Amino acid sequence: MNVYTTDKIRNVVLLGHGSCGKSTLAEAMCYLAGVTSRLGSIDDGNTVSDFDKEEQKRKISISTSTIPIEWDGCKINILDTPGFFDFVGEVEEAISVADAAIIVVSGKSGIEVGTQKAWDLCEEYNIPRMIYVSDMDIDEVSYRQVVQDLVDKFGKKIAPFNLPIREDEKLIGYVNVIQEKAFRWENKEATPMDVPEYSKEYLASYRDTLMEAVAETSEDLMERYFNGETFSENEIRSALRTNVCDGSIVPVEQGSSIFCEGVYTLLDDIVKYMPSPENRKMSGINTKTNEIFEANFDFSKPKTAFVFKTIIDPFIGKYSLVKVRSGVLKTDDVLYDPNKDEEVKIGKLYILRGNKTEEIAEVHAGDLCALQKLDINTGDSLATKATPVQYAKMNISRPFTCQRYHAQNKSDIDKIAQSLAKLQAEDPTMRVVNDAENHQSLIYGMGDMHIDVIASKLLNEYKVAIDLTKPKVAFRETIRKNADVESKYKKQTGGHGQYGHVKMRFEPLGDVTKSYEFAEEVVGGAVPKNYFPAVEKGLAESVQRGPLAAYPVVGVKATLYDGSYHPVDSSEMAFKVAARQAFKDAFMKATPVLLEPIVNLKVTVPDSFTGDVMGDLNKRRGRVTGMDPIGGGKQVISADVPQMELYGYCTQLRSMTGGAGDYEYEFARYEQCPSDVQAKEVEARAAKVAADSESDD
């Protein structure tokens, strides 16, 4: 591929709901640009972007693919993103380096939740966008209705650039709103034809919208517009580019990706109307001077780049995808990583198209490329030692859905850990947590499908198998009343025996953040001081697994006030055992209870779903503590919910809200759980309690 300067580059991300046609559109673009000689399809598993085995098996996109194509003297870097919400991290990585977006809307399905989320992301990152309505080859699809729905949803900035023409229930061409001309598709060419009568009314309406937007770009044009003058095509296109780049107009185009109809026009308009990186601002911090470095994709400034994605393949190794934010990267450049405070030699530069690589000599500011086998991570900045610039990391969603995992073969434990570390380097929305307190290993993901894909990749790519199960909840045990007990440990064998005798009081401490508090009130040397540590050690061991359900104990105060000893047979071990027995007896007499973790849950949902969500939270023993409107017709519902009731909540929330709901939570406190929950948990853990008792004996 040729080397392109900044003004000839377009970085365009494809966004939209799952299965709306993003990958099919990318495939049509590749075909028209001559990258492929035949159209691949999702069903056949041979598209450029969905090359991963998991994607081919599930027939959905799972990760973002970069697909550079050449069109009309420009390089268009297409970033094809997944539409399923479990893989939102891939979308966030792609949009952080995109300069424009195409939101794909299925004409058949219309506006969906993913359409709204794509729009919201464009607003958040302030990037210009176009809307492409796919599936126009289906006769019952109403383009006018989709446009009207878009206007109702997103306002008057929606501006159709063309209309479909149908004959005998088939899509045969389009009307260009700017030129007021109609064209028929014949093979790959568009030949002129008459504008159909049924299109003239809508053509006039859509053109009025465009002309108003054109007039608003300058006072001169506004005056001419009110005087009834017409604008030249060049004036219209120049003004519309300004409108599109500043986001005041969102063009709508249409076509059929599977027949490559309308895609040629879309590619032309990407080049004509979408901004190049040189039109966008970008700044970082010079860590040497603490001054702001205005990179602004200027090729004449010192070299800087940003790592926006990592790919680790078991066969081809590690690739770091970067966007050059200033300067010109060249083969064998030495760059500095301010995150790690070390220099790296970048070696060869690659263009990545799907899973195919191509070497390139240099990459200009604003362009994307891949670096191979470097010790750098997603979110890292690269610069020169003389100008060490650090850029802010992209915002990546936090995962809240988790599953417990076990190795099917114990011999694979180390290999699983290494494989998960590689998957984690690729996917920042995945977390692996070793929960030592509850003796479990957890995988956190954006949803159940996400975690299922992780398990499948471990098996198919790294040849290790894991089982996924429901995670254990971190219950705690405590007491509600006081107890006074006496415990004597006496054992006589040949030679020295064992003798330890304690009298102890147990009471609630009133602070469940501490396991226990130990005090002694022994008078007259009934228990020598040198055995106090042994008594406390017995307590420390006892609180690790409580007598009620073998969960850690919290909030207990123990006071040693009397006892006795034997000058020969007493030992630290004997007093430790006596203390453990005392603890067990007293605990069960002092009204033991289970405490469950309560989390503070925040659910963001459209207004229309608040009733359903609150009703579901009540079923989960949740207490709603507040509702805050946040604009855009959405509410944030705050609630205190037992953590054990949140298992499977992600799937349920998406089901209730059609995917429009989001949630997050954080640990709040421990509370006593209801008697029925306690009874069930105590019964389930009876075997563990029995095993602990046997080990004590």
Side-chain angles (χ1 to χ4, degrees):
M1 181 173 269
N2 296 326
V3 173
Y4 285 86
T5 54
T6 308
D7 60 316
K8 297 292 186 184
I9 294 165
R10 306 286 185 272
N11 296 311
V12 180
V13 61
L14 303 184
L15 303 173
H17 198 81
S19 301
C20 67
K22 297 181 295 297
S23 296
T24 307
L25 174 60
E27 192 66 22
M29 289 173 163
C30 287
Y31 177 67
L32 290 177
V35 171
T36 57
S37 56
R38 60 186 288 273
L39 275 169
S41 78
I42 305 292
D43 288 337
D44 293 340
N46 58 357
T47 61
V48 174
S49 57
D50 288 354
F51 56 86
D52 186 85
K53 286 181 180 176
E54 285 299 313
E55 294 175 315
Q56 292 167 358
K57 180 175 82 174
R58 297 169 190 269
K59 302 195 186 316
I60 60 168
S61 296
I62 288 171
S63 58
T64 292
S65 299
T66 57
I67 309 170
I69 62 172
E70 294 169 299
W71 190 265
D72 195 19
C74 288
K75 178 185 181 185
I76 304 175
N77 288 314
I78 301 163
L79 295 148
D80 181 22
T81 66
F84 286 86
F85 306 135
D86 282 32
F87 311 108
V88 66
E90 298 285 336
V91 181
E92 291 164 336
E93 287 178 341
I95 205 166
S96 70
V97 295
D99 302 309
I102 294 173
I103 300 175
V104 181
V105 177
S106 164
K108 187 177 178 183
S109 305
I111 297 174
E112 298 173 272
V113 172
T115 314
Q116 178 70 59
K117 291 197 172 190
W119 183 277
D120 292 344
L121 274 171
C122 292
E123 292 285 300
E124 182 185 337
Y125 284 85
N126 191 29
I127 63 172
R129 70 219 72 154
M130 284 184 178
I131 292 173
Y132 172 76
V133 183
S134 63
D135 297 329
M136 292 309 299
D137 52 293
I138 301 172
D139 184 51
E140 58 266 25
V141 167
S142 170
Y143 178 69
R144 294 167 195 165
Q145 186 59 54
V146 174
V147 169
Q148 187 56 53
D149 291 344
L150 288 167
V151 172
D152 294 343
K153 190 82 172 172
F154 303 121
K156 292 185 176 179
K157 59 172 68 176
I158 298 295
F161 273 24
N162 51 47
L163 294 88
I165 299 175
R166 284 195 170 92
E167 275 183 13
D168 300 326
E169 300 182 353
K170 286 186 179 177
L171 183 69
I172 58 108
Y174 69 99
V175 179
N176 186 311
V177 176
I178 297 169
Q179 297 176 319
E180 296 184 282
K181 293 178 181 176
F183 298 90
R184 179 189 294 273
W185 289 309
E186 291 179 355
N187 297 321
K188 287 186 183 181
E189 299 298 318
T191 57
M193 64 177 286
D194 292 332
V195 176
E197 281 298 320
Y198 63 82
S199 297
K200 288 181 179 177
E201 177 191 344
Y202 288 94
L203 171 60
S205 169
Y206 294 160
R207 186 171 169 80
D208 284 346
T209 302
L210 284 184
M211 292 309 104
E212 281 180 32
V214 168
E216 288 172 2
T217 55
S218 75
E219 289 183 10
D220 175 48
L221 292 176
M222 181 68 80
E223 190 176 328
R224 287 171 56 192
Y225 177 70
F226 282 126
N227 290 335
E229 295 182 39
T230 56
F231 306 133
S232 70
E233 188 177 326
N234 284 341
E235 285 177 320
I236 294 170
R237 291 191 185 280
S238 174
L240 287 177
R241 178 175 168 82
T242 302
N243 288 132
V244 172
C245 288
D246 69 17
S248 58
I249 266 195
V250 177
V252 182
E253 308 208 357
Q254 51 77 41
S256 167
S257 303
I258 58 172
F259 294 113
C260 291
E261 293 169 342
V263 180
Y264 196 106
T265 309
L266 180 65
L267 286 166
D268 278 350
D269 287 349
I270 288 171
V271 171
K272 286 174 188 169
Y273 301 113
M274 293 300 204
S276 63
E278 66 177 356
N279 298 112
R280 293 181 65 76
K281 301 289 183 189
M282 177 53 63
S283 58
I285 296 288
N286 184 325
T287 57
K288 186 186 285 185
T289 64
N290 282 333
E291 294 174 348
I292 292 175
F293 177 79
E294 300 285 353
N296 297 340
F297 304 103
D298 187 336
F299 76 95
S300 64
K301 291 188 176 180
K303 305 171 199 278
T304 67
F306 178 74
V307 184
F308 71 92
K309 183 172 171 58
T310 303
I311 297 172
I312 300 179
D313 187 283
F315 305 106
I316 61 174
K318 178 179 178 180
Y319 282 97
S320 302
L321 274 60
V322 304
K323 183 177 187 180
V324 183
R325 287 185 165 169
S326 62
V328 180
L329 282 196
K330 297 186 178 179
T331 302
D332 292 332
D333 272 346
V334 176
L335 294 178
Y336 173 73
D337 183 351
N339 298 78
K340 294 189 172 70
D341 188 24
E342 59 187 31
E343 288 188 311
V344 289
K345 186 176 181 181
I346 62 176
K348 294 176 181 177
L349 301 173
Y350 296 92
I351 298 293
L352 211 57
R353 182 184 291 120
N355 62 345
K356 304 284 193 301
T357 58
E358 182 184 329
E359 281 186 43
I360 191 163
E362 61 183 46
V363 180
H364 284 242
D367 207 350
L368 310 181
C369 68
L371 311 176
Q372 194 179 24
K373 295 177 181 173
L374 296 183
D375 183 22
I376 51 179
N377 304 315
T378 300
D380 280 3
S381 304
L382 297 173
T384 61
K385 196 81 182 264
T387 314
V389 176
Q390 183 143 20
Y391 293 105
K393 297 195 176 189
M394 72 274 276
N395 294 323
I396 297 290
S397 297
R398 277 183 64 200
F400 289 99
T401 300
C402 75
Q403 296 260 28
R404 185 182 184 187
Y405 73 90
H406 312 261
Q408 287 186 1
N409 298 312
K410 287 191 174 178
S411 59
D412 287 339
I413 288 175
D414 288 344
K415 193 175 178 184
I416 288 170
Q418 293 166 5
S419 304
L420 283 172
K422 290 178 181 177
L423 290 176
Q424 215 170 345
E426 276 191 295
D427 182 358
T429 60
M430 165 195 166
R431 278 197 306 136
V432 179
V433 175
N434 181 23
D435 183 5
E437 194 175 34
N438 295 296
H439 307 291
Q440 60 181 349
S441 299
L442 303 173
I443 295 175
Y444 279 81
M446 298 307 297
D448 292 331
M449 184 193 283
H450 187 192
I451 296 173
D452 188 42
V453 165
I454 291 166
S456 192
K457 281 189 171 186
L458 284 174
L459 181 63
N460 297 324
E461 293 181 16
Y462 295 97
K463 310 304 178 192
V464 286
I466 61 171
D467 291 322
L468 296 170
T469 56
K470 184 177 179 178
K472 284 193 289 187
V473 176
F475 286 97
R476 295 289 182 265
E477 298 181 22
T478 193
I479 53 176
R480 285 285 175 254
K481 293 184 179 175
N482 300 350
D484 194 320
V485 294
E486 178 180 1
S487 174
K488 188 180 288 186
Y489 179 64
K490 189 176 180 182
K491 200 168 188 181
Q492 194 63 49
T493 54
H496 284 302
Q498 296 287 350
Y499 184 87
H501 175 212
V502 294
K503 292 181 180 179
M504 301 182 73
R505 284 194 306 270
F506 290 85
E507 57 194 299
L509 179 60
D511 181 1
V512 295
T513 61
K514 292 181 182 176
S515 290
Y516 70 93
E517 193 175 281
F518 174 64
E520 55 80 21
E521 298 174 359
V522 178
V523 291
V527 176
K529 285 184 179 178
N530 57 310
Y531 293 130
F532 293 171
V535 174
E536 184 170 4
K537 193 172 182 184
L539 285 174
E541 289 180 4
S542 298
V543 296
Q544 291 176 10
R545 293 165 74 92
L548 183 63
Y551 284 111
V553 172
V554 293
V556 173
K557 183 176 181 181
T559 305
L560 172 67
Y561 67 89
D562 200 2
S564 63
Y565 74 104
H566 188 280
V568 176
D569 290 348
S570 284
S571 66
E572 287 190 4
M573 196 271 282
F575 273 96
K576 187 174 80 168
V577 174
R580 280 166 56 179
Q581 289 176 348
F583 176 85
K584 189 188 296 183
D585 293 345
F587 196 88
M588 297 309 288
K589 289 176 183 175
T591 314
V593 293
L594 273 189
L595 302 177
E596 62 180 341
I598 304 295
V599 299
N600 181 241
L601 175 72
K602 286 186 174 10
V603 189
T604 305
V605 288
D607 293 337
S608 56
F609 295 111
T610 53
D612 293 340
V613 170
M614 289 169 72
D616 180 69
L617 290 175
N618 286 333
K619 290 178 190 170
R620 295 174 186 271
R621 299 191 284 124
R623 294 191 299 274
V624 175
T625 57
M627 285 179 61
D628 298 305
I630 56 168
K634 289 186 177 181
Q635 297 269 357
V636 176
I637 301 170
S638 299
D640 287 343
V641 186
Q643 187 181 338
M644 70 179 296
E645 301 291 348
L646 284 184
Y647 184 70
Y649 187 62
C650 177
T651 304
Q652 179 64 23
L653 181 64
R654 286 182 186 168
S655 173
M656 281 189 295
T657 64
D662 288 313
Y663 75 101
E664 59 183 54
Y665 63 84
E666 59 184 5
F667 172 77
R669 63 188 174 279
Y670 274 96
E671 282 184 8
Q672 183 175 337
C673 62
S675 55
D676 59 327
V677 174
Q678 175 169 319
K680 193 183 291 185
E681 199 61 31
V682 168
E683 185 183 347
R685 304 271 292 182
K688 284 190 179 293
V689 174
D692 287 352
S693 297
E694 286 173 18
S695 66
D696 285 349
D697 296 341

